[in-house]
């Protein structure tokens, strides 16, 4: 997917008419002085990056962490989006799977990963001469199991949306004001979240999951997760897409069998964020 060139601006009268949260967001960003945004191409980090560029045009940058935990399609689309929005963006390679403790996939997996990511981002910010690192965490995240949030707090990562009291719907609303193509983009989580805690994480397994999800998405299915339970693939998607899954069941079954699964199931509860937690 290639994003169309987009023009955007933070227009004071539009922003001021939005609500107090938007004014406070601008103040929080401005008070940082200079900022490196932890960028993924999702709606949260993209809105934060666009807002930061509007407030600190010469004193901000973005950094995208590239690791086997993120699908190649997500990386590609994120970089295309950053280019279309004229967002400066560096790519940081992560060797997280070389961490033995992380590969063991305990319930502290996200904490270990976020601690390493935070270190990489802080080092990048220092190299670029930027004072702070910020991420797109928002108050909707505080109601979920987020051990990685603790690690980012310990590292000193700042969370402008949380400071501003913005939730996911606020961010999507602001994305629509900016006319960003990701305003309705479904949330994405790392590929490790498809594997039950305690099952070893290997690059080959993550690659099989990635390929399976990409194939199902190519059929027109929106939100999709392929959760791995041994040799069983548990497919989660929105109930509205169940018909697409069923009508393409032969093709899906064949593809998933070629990618390490023996059996395939469709979860009748539909997509549930963090269902492995």
């Amino acid at each position: 997917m290639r994003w169309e060139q987009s023009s955007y601006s933070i227009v004071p009268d539009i922003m001021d008419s939005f609500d107090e949260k938007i004014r406070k967001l601008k103040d929080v960003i401005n008070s940082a002085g200079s900022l490196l945004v932890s960028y993924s191409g999702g709606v949260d980090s993209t809105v934060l990056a666009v807002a930061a560029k509007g407030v600190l045009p010469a004193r901000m940058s973005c950094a995208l962490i590239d690791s086997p935990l993120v699908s190649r399609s997500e990386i590609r689309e994120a970089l295309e989006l950053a280019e279309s929005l004229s967002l400066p963006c560096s790519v940081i390679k992560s060797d997280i799977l070389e961490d033995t403790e992380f590969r063991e996939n305990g319930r502290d997996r996200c904490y270990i990963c976020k601690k390493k990511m935070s270190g990489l981002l802080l080092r990048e910010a220092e190299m670029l001469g930027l004072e702070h690192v910020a991420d797109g965490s928002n108050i909707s995240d505080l109601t979920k199991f987020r051990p990685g949030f603790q690690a980012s707090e310990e590292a000193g990562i700042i969370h402008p949306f949380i400071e501003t009291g913005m939730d996911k719907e606020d961010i999507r609303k602001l994305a629509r004001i900016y006319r960003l193509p990701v305003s309705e983009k479904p949330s994405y989580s790392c590929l490790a979240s498809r594997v039950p805690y305690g099952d070893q994480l290997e690059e080959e397994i993550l690659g099989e999951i990635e390929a399976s999800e990409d194939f199902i998405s190519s059929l027109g299915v929106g939100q999709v997760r392929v959760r791995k339970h041994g040799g069983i693939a548990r497919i989660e998607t929105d109930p509205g897409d169940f018909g697409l899954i069923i009508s393409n069941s032969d093709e899906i079954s064949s593809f998933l069998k070629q990618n390490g699964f023996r059996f395939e199931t469709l979860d009748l509860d539909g997509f549930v964020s963090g269902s492995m937690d």
Side-chain angles (χ1 to χ4, degrees), residues 51-183:
K53 181 158 189 198
V55 176
L56 304 168
R59 293 172 290 156
M60 66 78 62
S61 190
C62 302
L64 185 151
I65 294 185
D66 182 358
S67 82
L69 307 180
V70 186
S71 75
R72 297 304 89 193
S73 60
E74 285 290 316
I75 295 288
R76 183 174 61 254
E77 289 184 13
L79 292 175
E80 289 174 356
L81 179 60
E83 182 179 7
S84 76
L85 297 173
S86 300
L87 295 172
C89 185
S90 54
V91 178
I92 306 172
K93 293 283 187 178
S94 168
D95 58 357
I96 186 65
L97 286 181
E98 293 182 12
D99 187 305
T100 303
E101 189 178 6
F102 176 80
R103 286 203 317 273
E104 290 175 355
N105 197 20
R107 287 187 67 83
D108 60 349
R109 173 192 69 213
C110 292
Y111 177 88
I112 296 168
C113 181
K114 185 65 78 171
K115 184 175 182 179
K116 184 176 183 67
M117 285 176 55
S118 296
L120 293 172
L121 290 165
L122 289 167
R123 189 187 327 164
E124 182 76 5
E126 184 178 7
M127 289 173 55
L128 294 173
L130 301 173
E131 298 175 65
H132 298 283
V133 175
D135 67 18
S137 297
N138 59 81
I139 62 173
S140 298
D141 295 321
L142 301 181
T143 64
K144 303 172 184 176
F145 180 64
R146 291 286 189 270
F149 181 76
Q150 179 185 343
S152 67
E153 283 276 278
E154 292 171 359
I157 307 300
I158 65 174
H159 318 291
F161 291 137
I162 291 178
E163 292 186 53
T164 307
M166 295 183 73
D167 62 17
K168 191 76 172 188
E169 187 48 45
D170 290 325
I171 295 168
R172 290 198 185 279
K173 187 186 298 184
L174 186 51
R176 289 190 285 270
I177 287 176
Y178 288 145
R179 289 181 283 203
L180 296 176
V182 291
S183 62

Side-chain angles (χ1 to χ4, degrees), residues 178-190:
Y178 288 145
R179 289 181 283 203
L180 296 176
V182 291
S183 62
E184 309 306 321
K185 182 179 180 179
S187 297
Y188 179 83
S189 57
C190 87

Side-chain angles (χ1 to χ4, degrees), residues 223-242:
Q223 184 81 270
V224 63
R225 298 287 188 271
V226 175
R227 314 284 191 187
K228 181 176 175 62
H229 300 270
I232 299 173
R234 176 168 60 87
I235 301 169
E236 290 184 12
T237 190
D238 294 328
D241 283 332
F242 283 2

Side-chain angles (χ1 to χ4, degrees), residues 192-206:
S193 67
R194 282 56 153 177
V195 182
Y197 292 118
D199 288 6
Q200 189 89 354
L201 292 173
E202 301 291 348
E203 190 162 0
E204 181 181 2
I205 291 172
L206 299 178

